[in-house]
Amino acid sequence: MAVYFDHCIEAPESSDVPLQITWHSALPILAVASSSFATGGKVDLYLQQGEYVGTCHVDRPHLPTVLRWHPTKPVLAVGWDNGKVVLLTYPSGDQTEVLPGIHTNCITVLEWSSFGSRLVTGDENGSLAVWKLDAKGRLHGDPPATHGYNKPLTCCVFKPGSPGDDVAMLARASASGDQRALDMFSWKGAPLKMGPREGLEFFVSTTGGKVYGVDERCNTTTVPLIIVEGSIKKLVYLHKREALAVITDTLMLSQYSLGPEGGAQEFMKVKLSSKSGQNVDIDWTENNLLITATGEQIIRLWDMERDDNYVLSLDEALGFEKAELINCVSYCSRKEILAAGTTHGRIAMWRMMMQPANGRNDTKAQWRLQTPTEIGGNITQLQWGSNLNLLAANNSNTVIILCEHVMSADCSQQVAAVQLTPTQLSITQFATGTHLSLQSNMHIKGVCVTKDSVVVWNSKQVTVYELSGTVVRNTGSFPCDSHMVAAHGENLYTVEPNRVQIRTPQGTVKQLLTFSKSEGNPVLLNVCQSYLVVGTDTAHIRVFDLSRRDAKAHCSAKNLADHISNLGALQSVKCNANGSQVSILIFQVNGRPDHKVYFYDVEMDTVTHFDFFTGRPSSGISQAEEIDKQQIEGTGLIGRCPVSHFWDENEPRLFVSELVPISSESSSVSYLDMVDVSVVTLFCTQEHGLLLQDCYFKPSGLQALLALDVPYYYFSCKPGDVDPGPKPTSVSSPSRGAPSSNPRMVSRRALRDFVGLENSEKATRDAMLNFSFYLTIGDMDEAFKSIKLIKSKAVWENMARMCVKTHRLDVARMCLGNMGNARAAKALKEAEAEPEPEARVAMLAIQLGMLEDAEKLYKSCERYDLLNNFYQAYGQWQLALETAEIHDRIHLRTTYYNYAKYLEFMGDKESACAYYEKSDTHRVEVPRMLQDDAPSLEIYVKKMKDKSIYKWWAQYLESQSKMDSALHFYKCAQDSLSLVRVHCYMGNIQKASEIANDTGDRAASYHLARHYEGHDDIKQAVHFYTRAQAYNNAIRLCKENGLDDHLMNLALLSNPEDMMEAACYYEEKGTHMDRAVSLYHKAGYVSRALELAFATKQFSELQVIAEDLNENSDSALLARCSEFFITHSQYEKSVELLVAAKKYQQALELCVEQNLTISEELAERMTVMDSKDLSEDARKELAERIADCCMRQGNYHLATKKYMQAANKVKAMKAILKSGDTEKIVSFANGCRQKGLFIMAANYLQSLDWRKDVEILKTIIVFYTKGRAPDLLAGFYEACAQVEIDDYQNYEKALDALSEASKCLSKVKDASAGQQGVRLADLQQKINLIKKFVHIRRLYSEDAGEAVRLCEALLEEPNLDPPVRIGDAFGFLIEHHCQQGNFQLAHHKLEELQKFLSPQKVRYHISQASLVALQKELGVQMDFADRRDSVKDDDEVEEDLNVS
């Protein structure tokens, strides 16, 4: 909790009226502009406590209008109403007047650029000047840039500069090879621009509603960027949106987006609510929150980012008055506090707290109004100062500076003092139950207490007060500039550079504790029992023993910087009761608090730590391996930072620390108001290190932890949240004499292990403390030894409660035994069946009355069924219902039922009915509950309209002999049986028959049939037995009464047993034998049906029976039926029966004899692979015979399949070859992978048109290759070569094919002998001839004469044709002579060719153009009929014939 010290400025003349105030942005300097009747106007500077700076004073006969501080330098720009602008420098007081003559009227605009290199001035004439300043804040000699706008200027705002280059990012990019980044680091690129750049572009507004832009070169736009109605009161640049916000004097808000070309586009316009005729104070925060005060009792806020608006109002409960109005506002973004000044001289402050909103990551601002600060007067202006928590207020009479100060508090030896106001303390003496109020004569900045005294100081003076009963007496006061004071007994300890002074209460120095220069200056003091620990500004600590007359060093100075890395400064030091341990909190080098607590062991001279960010002690402490991580996470030790720490005042092992979340330790929000603050208690010993004793979240209402003194924690608290205690006693100090009454501000909370033992004697407390310690380290023997002599049941009960916290059920059993609580022991033993440890501990908590702990435990282990039972047992029915509806739905109806029973017991029958209905037990439970209240029950029955309830009510009426009413409700319940029963009872047989016939209800029909049978109405009885599907009773009546016609139909509808009886009845009677056979068949007695059918020659029935015969039937019956069907020429049916009888050979012979088509299904049935009736050889033989039959029938695919089953692949290939299915042939050959099959498949593929299908050609070659038939492959290559010659005259490809054929023949065994040798020689001759012809063709382009000579020689070769067709050789020569113009020689060659070929074939070898040329040149008449195509076709046919 914080208070504000108010300091009135030390104005040289009290009659001055302050006009404006403004703080420097970085320094604690306040500028105040005021008016004076004597001198006119003046400007003065003041420090943070209102000290007047006499050297810095400016006065003029005119009034100051605008004040603006330089952003970084201590230079103040002051604008006057006569157009003058003065620069005032602190602390020298130098005054520089800017170039006169620029402004001749009242200055209205003064604005610095972000780095202060430019100053913009503007006046009421519309004149604007831009001044340039050097690095020291002095004006350049160059004249300013000026502009005129013809209207008074109102506002000016600079556009922020662009950010500079990110060096770290550029370095990473350079390492990855980014050329641009490398150039920027090298001399090639432009120099790096480090940090943000100064924005020199700005915007200026006028009273005419116009906004102009001025660029970096001070050039302005002639046409305004923005035009609005009215005078512009506020101009704000929105950096995130790159937009400009304009607020007019009529509170019209407009927002404009700024384009890259300099244009502005309006995208939002809204009228702000306000009270007309009042001055408006506007504040626009960095996070786009617009705040306005318009002289009302409320403040209006507009959240521009979330598009939300709301108001804040004053609260009379905090001391505000009803007619109090708000004049001005000021928002501190770093502290997130909004301050408002009122007409009654009060400063209201709202602290912003971010609360989760509807969205997962969304938050919403909540404003909490604080207690006001009253300074008097009418506050017209507020402004937050620099980073020293300063707030300046102008109340029209003077200026008051408020300096925030965290309220001082201290607690020791059961005496606690908490600061209430800057000059007042609340003192509580817990030993005597006395509460005192102390009023000091100075602003208190620190307090420390002992058993009999209270010491306060303010860095200038120290005052000591003695506590004597209900009297506080001032025993001494002396000047001292120590910022830290400690007390022990009659001694005071104050700090000075390089020493600690030991003083008497009157200030007399008794002893000096000196520190060397390397040890530094003392800055921190702490006393515990008889030991003083001192921390210095160089991170040294020293411990002193105060038990003797003079303080003695307990240990040598310890430099913590040697043991703690990243140590910036000490934050706090505390020592334990015997001086063996010192705990330290530090600031890191970056100024942030460290999340570790460090412990210095004085005897061992070692430094260890506990890291609250990870929840683990340092590696050197054994407990690091003992604390379970999940348990630590649940206790709130992870991700936290310590903010305070204390040792127990008497127990040296016990340490406590207060923790906040790691993200909040540097927040502007005080941790005192946080709800997520945890308190952790540790045992610290040399042998066992740091041991976690307890950790819990600080209860709401408690603020700062003040001390630890077993059995209590001591907390400061808010008024009203303290434990009930003694009434306060108001006491005034003699120096003031003004009694006051204030609430107690300190609260005690018992340690977990001492709840219920707060008033126990010291021996018991020590025993409990030892028990807790040994229990923590797991030494159960020592734990029990420490408490074995304790006889108090309260102690054992408290220890049992400790077991709930520590989950030690083994210890709890002993505690329950010593308590004599047999019921709890039994319940705990029964709970051992639960698998979750938390559930077992929860049962212990229930038995001890720790209901909240039990609830938390059940929730933590997610045993919502037990939690539901727990809520029911303790009457928390709403929680039980919520738990069942959300988490324990399996027991939801049971919960509803139990709650209904509870409501019934409580007499709330109406609500009980509702929950019986939800539990779906109302059909039984509600009639039971209301059976003594017949009218209410009847109303409920009629209201529910439930069939079950109708039936219950009808039965009730029937029992009361109210038959008509009973019939009505039986009808509503649709209970046909009861209707028929009652009608039969009443003699309404006809009505009962109608009901049974209409509804078809079997039970009703059966009841009516029994009634008819009893009255010998057999036909009606049989009819209703049939409708009731009681066929056995109907059959019985038919047999007894000879109703044979009805018997057959009834038997067919009934079960097999009844069919069997009816069949026997017909057989015995000797009539209707067909019926007997059919019934035997339907009943499943097929053999008996067949015997009777054969005996009585019931052939039609026999065919019906045969339809149902299968392989599971008797083989003899199947054979007999088969013979019967053969006799009657029904061969297909006979074959099926033979197959079913597994007489496969006979079935096949019958198929062959009668030429029956064998289907695939029949073939499969005859050759079942896993059949045990045939051997493997017999099965294969049968399959081959079936395949032969399929071949004869033309079913080649099935034949192939059966041949394969018979393992005869050759026949299978022949069968599939007959099918002509090329795809399956290829697949079959590839699957079988046998040489002979490959050859067969290749031979088949040669019969296809392989010349046009390349895939078939490739497959033939592959199959011959896989079949290892090089001779056949050679023949195929020869055929390919001949096709190339005959069809395409392509001798090159033919040569390649013949070469491959030669290679293949050479691979044949004994290729050089016999026919193979002759064939190979013949093939080689063909190759040679073709090679010559190919060579001639190729040579022709190089040496035509030589090619012609060689061709002439080739024609002389014997056996030239067919390797080289003679027509092609002569054609070559004729074409050559025609091209050379030797037509006579060409004609001669043509005549020679005609000796070998017919005229039709000649045209196939010679081009048509050559023949036409010969005819034209020689005049020889030739048969030129164009029959080349037909000739070609004829040739092809002949060649095909020749080949074949």
Side-chain angles (χ1 to χ4, degrees):
M1 195 167 71
V3 295
Y4 286 89
F5 291 172
D6 55 316
H7 304 281
C8 187
I9 61 172
E10 300 171 358
E13 297 182 16
S14 60
S15 61
D16 295 344
V17 179
L19 301 176
Q20 291 190 43
I21 57 175
T22 181
W23 286 100
H24 193 281
S25 60
L27 302 173
I29 309 171
L30 177 67
V32 178
S34 57
S35 64
S36 172
F37 292 105
T39 61
K42 60 181 180 179
V43 176
D44 296 295
L45 301 186
Y46 301 90
L47 301 181
Q48 62 182 6
Q49 294 188 7
E51 300 97 331
Y52 174 63
V53 182
T55 59
C56 298
H57 172 76
V58 182
D59 56 7
R60 292 288 189 275
H62 304 279
L63 293 179
T65 55
V66 187
L67 301 178
R68 286 292 184 273
W69 280 103
H70 189 283
T72 57
K73 306 295 181 184
V75 177
L76 175 69
V78 183
W80 302 84
D81 62 359
N82 63 343
K84 302 294 184 183
V85 177
V86 177
L87 300 183
L88 175 63
T89 304
Y90 170 86
S92 64
D94 295 339
Q95 301 180 22
T96 304
E97 186 172 337
V98 301
L99 189 64
I102 300 297
H103 299 292
T104 59
N105 209 335
C106 180
I107 298 295
T108 58
V109 169
L110 276 179
E111 197 66 42
W112 296 89
S113 61
S114 57
F115 291 174
S117 65
R118 291 188 182 178
L119 173 65
V120 178
T121 61
D123 60 21
E124 286 189 348
N125 292 336
S127 298
L128 181 86
V130 183
W131 309 84
K132 295 183 179 180
L133 291 88
D134 59 16
K136 294 184 178 180
R138 297 175 301 189
L139 290 172
H140 277 290
D142 300 335
T146 59
H147 302 288
Y149 297 105
N150 301 324
K151 288 285 187 180
L153 302 179
T154 59
C155 302
C156 177
V157 59
F158 274 86
K159 180 179 179 180
S162 60
D165 297 316
D166 189 337
V167 178
M169 184 177 66
L170 288 175
R172 287 193 294 269
S174 300
S176 63
D178 190 333
Q179 187 60 42
R180 175 182 171 275
L182 290 170
D183 291 343
M184 293 183 71
F185 273 115
S186 70
W187 60 270
K188 299 178 182 179
L192 288 176
K193 297 180 179 179
M194 306 291 289
R197 305 173 187 174
E198 184 178 21
L200 300 178
E201 181 181 353
F202 63 91
F203 304 93
V204 64
S205 62
T206 69
T207 56
K210 296 179 181 179
V211 178
Y212 296 88
V214 181
D215 62 15
E216 294 182 355
R217 298 182 179 179
C218 300
N219 297 323
T220 185
T221 57
T222 56
V223 179
L225 288 175
I226 300 170
I227 300 178
V228 296
E229 295 181 0
S231 176
I232 296 177
K233 187 173 182 64
K234 188 79 172 178
L235 195 62
V236 180
Y237 183 82
L238 308 178
H239 184 57
K240 293 181 180 179
R241 300 184 180 180
E242 293 188 356
L244 202 61
V246 178
I247 303 176
T248 66
D249 55 357
T250 59
L251 290 189
M252 182 66 70
L253 169 63
S254 304
Q255 295 189 46
Y256 297 84
S257 59
L258 302 177
E261 303 297 331
Q265 181 68 38
E266 183 181 82
F267 65 88
M268 194 273 280
K269 187 174 184 179
V270 64
K271 179 67 170 68
L272 304 179
S273 301
S274 66
K275 183 178 180 182
S276 60
Q278 296 289 335
N279 292 327
V280 179
D281 192 19
I282 301 174
D283 196 358
W284 194 303
T285 69
E286 295 176 357
N287 53 359
N288 287 335
L289 186 65
L290 176 61
I291 307 170
T292 63
T294 57
E296 303 174 87
Q297 290 183 301
I298 59 174
I299 297 175
R300 304 181 189 274
L301 297 95
W302 285 266
D303 191 336
M304 297 302 174
E305 291 186 354
R306 294 181 174 85
D307 193 19
D308 189 16
N309 64 86
Y310 45 91
V311 298
L312 302 178
S313 58
L314 304 177
D315 188 357
E316 296 181 18
L318 293 177
F320 294 99
E321 299 180 19
K322 194 169 186 180
E324 199 164 359
L325 305 178
I326 298 174
N327 291 330
C328 52
V329 291
S330 181
Y331 179 73
C332 180
S333 58
R334 192 177 65 85
K335 297 171 65 63
E336 296 180 338
I337 292 180
L338 172 62
T342 70
T343 55
H344 292 187
R346 293 186 181 91
I347 299 177
M349 293 190 186
W350 287 268
R351 185 185 298 277
M352 185 171 68
M353 311 290 289
M354 301 307 295
Q355 300 290 339
N358 296 332
R360 172 182 259 180
N361 297 321
D362 194 15
T363 57
K364 186 177 181 181
Q366 298 287 339
W367 297 86
R368 181 181 299 173
L369 180 61
Q370 310 293 320
T371 304
T373 300
E374 188 168 353
I375 63 175
N378 180 20
I379 302 174
T380 58
Q381 188 182 2
L382 289 173
Q383 188 179 32
W384 289 97
S386 58
N387 55 4
L388 295 178
N389 304 326
L390 302 173
L391 177 65
N394 181 358
N395 68 353
S396 303
N397 298 320
T398 185
V399 175
I400 296 175
I401 300 175
L402 300 180
C403 181
E404 184 182 20
H405 169 69
V406 177
M407 285 191 175
S408 301
D410 191 32
C411 182
S412 177
Q413 301 174 11
Q414 298 190 39
V415 177
V418 177
Q419 187 176 8
L420 294 177
T421 68
T423 60
Q424 188 177 12
L425 292 177
S426 172
I427 302 172
T428 304
Q429 294 176 293
F430 290 97
T432 60
T434 305
H435 173 54
L436 309 175
S437 180
L438 171 63
Q439 189 74 29
S440 178
N441 56 359
M442 64 179 178
H443 283 175
I444 300 172
K445 288 191 175 181
V447 60
C448 68
V449 298
T450 64
K451 184 177 181 181
D452 302 317
S453 63
V454 177
V455 182
V456 296
W457 69 91
N458 66 351
S459 300
K460 294 181 180 180
Q461 183 179 357
V462 177
T463 302
V464 182
Y465 297 92
E466 181 184 357
L467 301 177
S468 177
T470 59
V471 177
V472 178
R473 183 182 298 106
N474 188 336
T475 60
S477 181
F478 56 91
C480 181
D481 58 359
S482 175
H483 66 279
M484 180 64 64
V485 178
H488 177 259
E490 295 294 328
N491 296 331
L492 299 181
Y493 302 86
T494 62
V495 297
E496 285 187 357
N498 298 112
R499 61 186 180 181
V500 174
Q501 297 173 324
I502 304 178
R503 299 172 179 262
T504 64
Q506 291 74 32
T508 304
V509 177
K510 298 170 56 178
Q511 185 181 355
L512 292 178
L513 306 177
T514 59
F515 289 75
S516 66
K517 186 175 181 180
S518 61
E519 293 173 350
N521 300 316
V523 291
L524 299 173
L525 300 176
N526 176 252
V527 173
C528 184
Q529 286 291 348
S530 298
Y531 292 91
L532 168 69
V533 60
V534 182
T536 71
D537 55 3
T538 59
H540 286 71
I541 59 172
R542 292 181 63 182
V543 181
F544 297 91
D545 186 356
L546 310 180
S547 59
R548 302 176 184 178
R549 182 174 180 276
D550 294 332
K552 300 294 183 182
H554 186 59
C555 66
S556 58
K558 183 67 175 178
N559 185 4
L560 297 177
D562 295 338
H563 300 270
I564 302 175
S565 60
N566 200 26
L567 171 60
L570 299 182
Q571 180 184 358
S572 174
V573 293
K574 299 288 177 70
C575 67
N576 65 350
N578 61 7
S580 62
Q581 296 280 347
V582 178
S583 59
I584 307 106
L585 300 183
I586 69 166
F587 290 109
Q588 298 176 355
V589 175
N590 59 10
R592 297 176 64 87
D594 198 345
H595 43 71
K596 302 183 184 74
V597 176
Y598 295 90
F599 295 89
Y600 171 56
D601 191 319
V602 175
E603 296 178 0
M604 303 297 294
D605 193 28
T606 57
V607 177
T608 57
H609 70 262
F610 194 102
D611 191 343
F612 289 105
F613 182 75
T614 61
R616 296 281 182 177
S618 57
S619 58
I621 300 176
S622 61
Q623 182 64 10
E625 305 299 328
E626 300 175 7
I627 301 178
D628 184 74
K629 185 175 182 180
Q630 294 182 353
Q631 182 179 356
I632 289 176
E633 290 177 351
T635 57
L637 282 179
I638 291 180
R640 295 190 167 261
C641 178
V643 292
S644 66
H645 59 131
F646 299 93
W647 293 91
D648 185 272
E649 296 187 2
N650 299 294
E651 173 54 56
R653 296 174 296 180
L654 202 57
F655 170 83
V656 65
S657 181
E658 199 171 8
L659 312 176
V660 298
I662 199 68
S663 60
S664 304
E665 81 280 4
S666 60
S667 173
S668 61
V669 180
S670 173
Y671 79 94
L672 301 178
D673 297 325
M674 295 178 60
V675 296
D676 193 18
V677 179
S678 55
V679 178
V680 60
T681 309
L682 304 172
F683 283 114
C684 180
T685 62
Q686 288 183 357
E687 296 81 4
H688 303 284
L690 298 174
L691 306 167
L692 177 64
Q693 193 267 344
D694 188 19
C695 182
Y696 67 97
F697 288 104
K698 186 174 67 177
S700 60
L702 301 183
Q703 293 186 325
L705 179 66
L706 298 180
L708 171 64
D709 187 6
V710 173
Y712 291 109
Y713 299 107
Y714 292 83
F715 292 92
S716 63
C717 63
K718 297 178 182 179
D721 291 326
V722 71
D723 290 335
K727 294 183 179 181
T729 303
S730 298
V731 179
S732 61
S733 65
S735 61
R736 301 290 296 206
S740 62
S741 177
N742 289 285
R744 294 176 62 192
M745 301 294 293
V746 179
S747 176
R748 298 190 299 185
R749 290 291 185 274
L751 275 75
R752 180 194 67 187
D753 302 346
F754 291 89
V755 175
L757 301 178
E758 295 87 346
N759 299 320
S760 59
E761 63 277 4
K762 186 178 184 302
T764 302
R765 291 202 302 268
D766 292 342
M768 283 300 302
L769 200 59
N770 289 328
F771 174 78
S772 178
F773 172 74
Y774 290 122
L775 192 65
T776 303
I777 65 175
D779 191 342
M780 298 307 301
D781 294 336
E782 291 296 329
F784 287 127
K785 285 180 182 178
S786 62
I787 59 171
K788 65 180 180 180
L789 299 178
I790 297 178
K791 303 298 183 181
S792 172
K793 289 186 177 181
V795 175
W796 288 107
E797 182 178 356
N798 188 66
M799 286 190 288
R801 292 175 179 271
M802 288 172 54
C803 295
V804 174
K805 303 292 185 181
T806 58
H807 294 199
R808 294 297 300 265
L809 295 180
D810 51 346
V811 181
R813 295 188 189 94
M814 178 172 290
C815 295
L816 293 176
N818 285 279
M819 290 167 58
N821 194 338
R823 185 182 67 178
K826 179 184 178 183
L828 187 60
K829 185 175 182 179
E830 293 174 352
E832 291 178 357
E834 300 296 341
E836 298 85 359
E838 294 87 351
R840 300 195 289 269
V841 177
M843 178 54 68
L844 173 63
I846 291 173
Q847 297 302 319
L848 296 175
M850 304 171 66
L851 304 185
E852 292 184 3
D853 295 86
E855 181 180 4
K856 292 178 182 178
L857 288 165
Y858 280 137
K859 288 181 179 178
S860 65
C861 66
E862 297 183 355
R863 284 300 302 270
Y864 295 105
D865 53 337
L866 299 178
L867 180 63
N868 186 3
N869 294 335
F870 166 75
Y871 285 142
Q872 293 182 39
Y874 281 88
Q876 301 293 331
W877 287 104
Q878 293 304 318
L879 293 175
L881 294 173
E882 290 177 7
T883 303
E885 290 169 354
I886 298 174
H887 301 291
D888 189 28
R889 296 192 65 83
I890 194 172
H891 297 116
L892 180 59
R893 288 178 56 191
T894 304
T895 306
Y896 285 146
Y897 178 78
N898 292 336
Y899 186 43
K901 296 287 287 184
Y902 168 78
L903 292 173
E904 181 183 353
F905 175 77
M906 299 302 294
D908 190 355
K909 294 185 178 181
E910 183 176 356
S911 299
C913 289
Y915 280 95
Y916 277 133
E917 291 168 10
K918 288 185 176 182
S919 67
D920 200 27
T921 58
H922 60 286
R923 298 174 183 85
V924 176
E925 295 296 335
V926 173
R928 175 195 57 76
M929 180 177 65
L930 300 178
Q931 62 182 352
D932 296 333
D933 189 359
S936 299
L937 180 56
E938 183 175 3
I939 293 172
Y940 180 80
V941 169
K942 293 179 179 179
K943 181 186 73 173
M944 290 303 296
K945 299 180 181 179
D946 185 273
K947 293 180 182 180
S948 299
I949 298 177
Y950 278 143
K951 183 177 179 180
W952 188 93
W953 183 245
Q955 290 173 343
Y956 173 78
L957 293 175
E958 184 181 355
S959 67
Q960 301 294 320
S961 300
K962 299 178 181 180
M963 296 301 178
D964 293 336
S965 299
L967 285 173
H968 169 71
F969 284 102
Y970 277 134
K971 186 176 181 180
C972 293
Q974 299 179 3
D975 188 356
S976 302
L977 171 61
S978 297
L979 286 171
V980 169
R981 178 176 53 78
V982 174
H983 279 300
C984 290
Y985 173 77
M986 297 175 65
N988 299 330
I989 305 303
Q990 186 63 31
K991 184 65 175 176
S993 300
E994 292 177 1
I995 293 173
N997 284 322
D998 292 342
T999 61
D1001 185 88
R1002 293 175 57 186
S1005 299
Y1006 185 84
H1007 182 85
L1008 188 59
R1010 292 291 303 271
H1011 180 83
Y1012 277 121
E1013 184 181 359
H1015 290 76
D1016 295 330
D1017 192 343
I1018 302 303
K1019 289 185 177 181
Q1020 289 294 331
V1022 170
H1023 168 71
F1024 282 105
Y1025 275 135
T1026 303
R1027 288 186 65 85
Q1029 298 181 16
Y1031 301 115
N1032 54 350
N1033 287 324
I1035 291 172
R1036 174 179 55 79
L1037 290 179
C1038 290
K1039 288 166 62 178
E1040 292 175 355
N1041 296 277
L1043 301 177
D1044 294 349
D1045 295 336
H1046 294 80
L1047 181 60
M1048 181 64 183
N1049 294 332
L1050 291 172
L1052 291 175
L1053 294 172
S1054 188
N1055 53 44
E1057 288 78 9
D1058 293 335
M1059 293 181 189
M1060 182 67 179
E1061 291 181 5
C1064 293
Y1065 171 78
Y1066 281 124
E1067 186 179 1
E1068 291 173 1
K1069 199 169 182 180
T1071 58
H1072 305 296
M1073 300 304 290
D1074 56 338
R1075 297 181 182 179
V1077 172
S1078 178
L1079 289 174
Y1080 277 130
H1081 178 214
K1082 295 289 185 182
Y1085 295 92
V1086 181
S1087 58
R1088 179 58 185 162
L1090 286 172
E1091 290 177 2
L1092 188 59
F1094 283 123
T1096 57
K1097 299 181 179 181
Q1098 302 291 332
F1099 299 118
S1100 60
E1101 294 295 331
L1102 192 59
Q1103 289 186 354
V1104 174
I1105 296 172
E1107 295 290 337
D1108 296 335
L1109 295 177
N1110 52 39
E1111 60 272 9
N1112 296 324
S1113 303
D1114 183 44
S1115 57
L1117 288 176
L1118 293 172
R1120 189 173 177 184
C1121 291
S1122 176
E1123 294 173 1
F1124 171 79
F1125 285 117
I1126 292 174
T1127 305
H1128 291 80
S1129 301
Q1130 296 185 15
Y1131 302 111
E1132 290 83 357
K1133 189 64 180 176
S1134 177
V1135 168
E1136 291 182 4
L1137 292 176
L1138 287 172
V1139 171
K1142 300 180 181 178
K1143 297 183 180 298
Y1144 305 121
Q1145 298 290 349
Q1146 298 178 17
L1148 183 60
E1149 291 174 359
L1150 183 60
C1151 289
V1152 174
E1153 291 174 2
Q1154 302 300 328
N1155 196 24
L1156 300 178
T1157 302
I1158 299 178
S1159 64
E1160 185 171 0
E1161 179 186 0
L1162 181 61
E1164 290 298 324
R1165 290 175 60 193
M1166 294 171 67
T1167 56
V1168 180
M1169 298 295 294
D1170 57 351
S1171 175
K1172 298 179 181 179
D1173 301 299
L1174 291 175
S1175 64
E1176 184 66 19
D1177 294 338
R1179 187 187 63 77
K1180 290 182 178 180
E1181 181 184 356
L1182 179 61
E1184 189 165 351
R1185 290 186 61 193
I1186 293 173
D1188 294 339
C1189 185
C1190 291
M1191 285 288 288
R1192 288 192 295 272
Q1193 294 176 358
N1195 194 347
Y1196 300 117
H1197 289 292
L1198 184 58
T1200 301
K1201 185 176 181 180
K1202 293 304 166 184
Y1203 279 135
M1204 286 299 295
Q1205 291 179 358
N1208 194 333
K1209 295 183 179 180
V1210 176
K1211 283 190 175 183
M1213 174 58 83
K1214 291 180 179 179
I1216 199 169
L1217 288 175
K1218 282 184 173 291
S1219 70
D1221 191 335
T1222 303
E1223 184 178 353
K1224 289 188 177 180
I1225 291 171
V1226 173
S1227 176
F1228 184 80
N1230 285 322
C1232 292
R1233 304 184 64 83
Q1234 290 187 1
K1235 294 188 292 183
L1237 300 186
F1238 281 128
I1239 294 172
M1240 293 172 68
N1243 292 339
Y1244 164 77
L1245 292 176
Q1246 279 202 70
S1247 66
L1248 304 179
D1249 191 3
W1250 52 269
R1251 301 170 186 82
K1252 297 181 180 179
D1253 194 335
V1254 178
E1255 293 299 325
I1256 294 179
L1257 176 66
K1258 294 180 180 178
T1259 305
I1260 293 172
I1261 295 172
V1262 171
F1263 279 3
Y1264 277 137
T1265 304
K1266 291 182 177 180
R1268 298 179 184 176
D1271 52 340
L1272 297 178
L1273 181 58
F1276 177 67
Y1277 277 127
E1278 289 185 62
C1280 292
Q1282 197 62 43
V1283 167
E1284 294 295 337
I1285 294 171
D1286 293 342
D1287 291 355
Y1288 308 107
Q1289 300 179 15
N1290 193 335
Y1291 284 89
E1292 287 81 358
K1293 287 189 176 180
L1295 180 61
D1296 293 338
L1298 290 176
S1299 299
E1300 292 295 329
S1302 176
K1303 292 178 182 178
C1304 293
L1305 278 178
S1306 63
K1307 295 179 181 179
V1308 178
K1309 294 181 179 180
D1310 300 329
S1312 60
Q1315 294 181 355
Q1316 296 294 341
V1318 174
R1319 184 179 174 188
L1320 184 61
D1322 184 48
L1323 183 60
Q1324 191 63 40
Q1325 183 182 5
K1326 289 181 180 180
I1327 292 172
N1328 293 333
L1329 291 173
I1330 292 174
K1331 278 184 178 180
K1332 291 179 180 181
F1333 187 63
V1334 169
H1335 174 68
I1336 291 169
R1337 281 183 167 183
R1338 293 174 179 172
L1339 183 63
Y1340 182 76
S1341 60
E1342 299 176 0
D1343 190 351
E1346 181 64 20
V1348 170
R1349 187 187 66 76
L1350 291 176
C1351 188
E1352 293 283 0
L1354 183 64
L1355 287 172
E1356 300 299 328
E1357 291 282 347
N1359 300 324
L1360 178 63
D1361 200 343
V1364 178
R1365 292 190 300 185
I1366 194 168
D1368 291 338
F1370 275 104
F1372 176 78
L1373 295 173
I1374 293 169
E1375 292 288 344
H1376 166 72
H1377 292 310
C1378 287
Q1379 290 178 5
Q1380 299 297 322
N1382 298 328
F1383 294 104
Q1384 289 294 340
L1385 188 56
H1387 185 260
H1388 175 69
K1389 292 297 180 182
L1390 179 61
E1391 289 177 344
E1392 288 185 20
L1393 177 61
Q1394 287 177 343
K1395 295 177 183 180
F1396 297 99
L1397 298 177
S1398 63
Q1400 292 82 3
K1401 292 186 177 181
V1402 168
R1403 289 171 174 79
Y1404 182 71
H1405 298 281
I1406 303 172
S1407 66
Q1408 186 70 17
S1410 297
L1411 292 175
V1412 171
L1414 283 171
Q1415 183 179 2
K1416 182 179 179 181
E1417 296 294 334
L1418 300 179
V1420 180
Q1421 186 64 34
M1422 297 182 181
D1423 185 8
F1424 288 119
D1426 191 8
R1427 294 182 294 171
R1428 286 178 60 95
D1429 294 338
S1430 62
V1431 170
K1432 181 179 178 181
D1433 293 340
D1434 292 343
D1435 290 346
E1436 289 177 354
V1437 172
E1438 291 174 7
E1439 289 170 1
D1440 289 340
L1441 292 174
N1442 291 334
V1443 171
S1444 63

